[in-house]
Amino acid sequence: LVVDGSSVRLVAGPAASPDVTVTQTYAVSTQIAKGQRNPLDAFQHGLIELSGDVRAMVVAHRALDGAHESTAAMRAATTYPE
């Protein structure tokens, strides 16, 4: 996920030099995508780890919220193997 100002785009593969790295299990990721778990709750319970410049995520929160909203139909149509 690349956030540049107010724009967000998905890019395949790892970032060359990410500002922030988000680490979570597949299970937590799918629970969040399905709306079964809140990302903030998962972070507060130690299920998501952040490294790097976490302030960058705070600054980009509006763009990230927009990305979440704009991918709702895609997430609803996606199946998640167990």
Side-chain angles (χ1 to χ4, degrees):
L1 184 66
V2 176
V3 179
D4 185 14
S6 62
S7 71
V8 178
R9 65 190 195 299
L10 295 172
V11 179
S17 57
D19 293 322
V20 180
T21 300
V22 179
T23 305
Q24 59 193 346
T25 65
Y26 177 80
V28 170
S29 181
T30 57
Q31 289 169 354
I32 290 170
K34 292 177 179 181
Q36 298 170 340
R37 183 179 289 276
N38 177 291
L40 180 58
D41 178 67
F43 175 74
Q44 290 174 331
H45 286 90
L47 301 173
I48 296 176
E49 295 178 14
L50 303 175
S51 60
D53 184 6
V54 177
R55 294 173 298 161
M57 281 187 74
V58 173
V59 170
H61 80 278
R62 288 189 185 171
L64 293 169
D65 287 346
H68 182 76
E69 291 169 14
S70 66
T71 59
M74 176 186 67
R75 287 186 293 131
T78 301
T79 57
Y80 301 92
E82 295 298 324

